[in-house]
Amino acid sequence: QRVVPFLGAGISKDATCKSNNKKVADTDNLIKNVAASIYKMRNAGKDDRKRWSRWCSRSSSLRKTSLDRLCEIYLWLNQDIESLVKNVLHIDEFIKLNPRPAHRYIAFLAREGLIDEVITTNYDSCLEKADCDTFENREPGNDEDSPARVVACLNDYRENAGRVYVSKEKSQSCLKIYKINGCAKKFAEGNSRAESILLTESQLQHWRQRYWARDLFRDRLRSRTIV
């Protein structure tokens, strides 16, 4: 209980949706989707082409750009973040992804009481699904007896960061999953706005008012071992 796993995009890259086997969280696919949308906007607004031609003189150059930078360009051209999050990146579909073996092994460690926190930059629900699968008839969510508690905003942090045990099973520790860049499930269910999904370079650099996440991360760097 002195180690905190820090999960990035790689752990969910090959996760697939049960219905159609789509890899909606594959960063390469996300980059292609944003790049294609930018080119559509270029063709639709020829008068503005000079403003941003240096960013996308060729298709290949856009696809070599990082996702956070591409999202910055997209929002520069089109300020509709709802469209970017839902129609281009399909973040709401991330909740359909199935856990990968790595998610399962982390859930096993939590089930054994060896870890009780995870920090992740991912939006998907794979880890909480994996953790709840180690229990009988449990579904992911922040209800009173859920073994996996998702913390994605200040209110979640206030309600769940101090929770130690599942209420109806006092001997079983909660796994607290800190989603510092937003949660696809909360967005898909309408419990958070598109702005809660952090995507762009400037958002990620400045924590975008997520002081709870900044302070949590700094504290864990001082007091725990981050893996």
Side-chain angles (χ1 to χ4, degrees):
Q1 295 181 348
R2 305 302 302 170
V3 170
V4 180
F6 191 110
L7 310 183
I11 195 172
S12 297
K13 179 179 175 64
D14 292 325
T16 57
C17 298
K18 186 175 182 180
S19 58
N20 53 21
N21 288 326
K22 288 176 61 177
K23 296 181 179 181
V24 295
D26 186 333
T27 306
D28 294 335
N29 291 335
L30 298 177
I31 288 174
K32 291 177 183 178
N33 291 342
V34 181
S37 297
I38 290 174
Y39 270 93
K40 287 181 181 178
M41 284 189 281
R42 181 193 68 174
N43 294 331
K46 295 181 180 179
D47 293 339
D48 294 332
R49 193 175 294 182
K50 290 183 179 179
R51 294 174 55 216
W52 55 285
S53 60
R54 63 193 178 94
W55 292 111
C56 49
S57 58
R58 298 178 181 176
S59 174
S60 59
S61 65
L62 267 184
R63 293 190 178 186
K64 293 178 182 179
T65 306
S66 64
L67 179 61
D68 59 339
R69 192 69 165 169
L70 281 177
C71 290
E72 196 93 55
I73 298 169
Y74 181 98
L75 291 177
W76 181 40
L77 297 168
N78 179 2
Q79 296 298 314
D80 187 1
I81 192 171
E82 182 88 17
S83 174
L84 174 62
V85 171
K86 188 171 184 178
N87 301 327
V88 178
L89 297 175
H90 305 288
I91 298 296
D92 51 329
E93 293 187 16
F94 282 34
I95 62 174
K96 301 176 183 178
L97 293 171
N98 291 318
R100 297 283 296 159
H103 297 108
R104 304 283 186 194
Y105 283 115
I106 292 172
F108 295 153
L109 292 174
R111 194 71 160 92
E112 294 293 334
L114 298 174
I115 61 173
D116 58 7
E117 291 183 337
V118 172
I119 300 174
T120 179
T121 57
N122 297 341
Y123 318 114
D124 62 73
S125 302
C126 291
L127 188 56
E128 51 263 45
K129 286 181 181 179
D131 188 60
C132 288
D133 282 349
T134 67
F135 294 81
E136 185 177 2
N137 298 322
R138 295 290 179 85
E139 292 294 331
N142 277 358
D143 53 285
E144 281 302 308
D145 60 348
S146 176
R149 318 290 294 202
V150 174
V151 177
C153 64
L154 180 59
N155 286 337
D156 291 341
Y157 183 75
R158 288 169 174 166
E159 293 177 6
N160 297 300
R163 190 176 293 274
V164 179
Y165 297 109
V166 178
S167 61
K168 294 183 180 179
E169 297 181 28
K170 295 298 183 180
S171 62
Q172 178 58 48
S173 297
C174 288
L175 174 63
K176 293 178 284 292
I177 304 169
Y178 297 104
K179 296 188 178 183
I180 60 176
N181 284 348
C183 176
K185 189 172 188 291
K186 290 181 180 293
F187 171 71
E189 294 177 348
N191 295 323
S192 64
R193 301 174 62 185
E195 289 82 355
S196 68
I197 304 296
L198 302 193
L199 295 163
T200 69
E201 187 176 44
S202 59
Q203 289 174 341
L204 297 172
Q205 285 178 345
H206 299 291
W207 293 91
R208 203 184 180 200
Q209 308 302 317
R210 294 167 301 144
Y211 299 127
W212 68 269
R214 181 196 63 188
D215 294 343
L216 166 82
F217 188 62
R218 289 177 177 175
D219 176 76
R220 297 309 184 268
L221 284 174
R222 290 192 300 262
S223 62
R224 303 280 189 103
T225 297
I226 305 292
V227 178

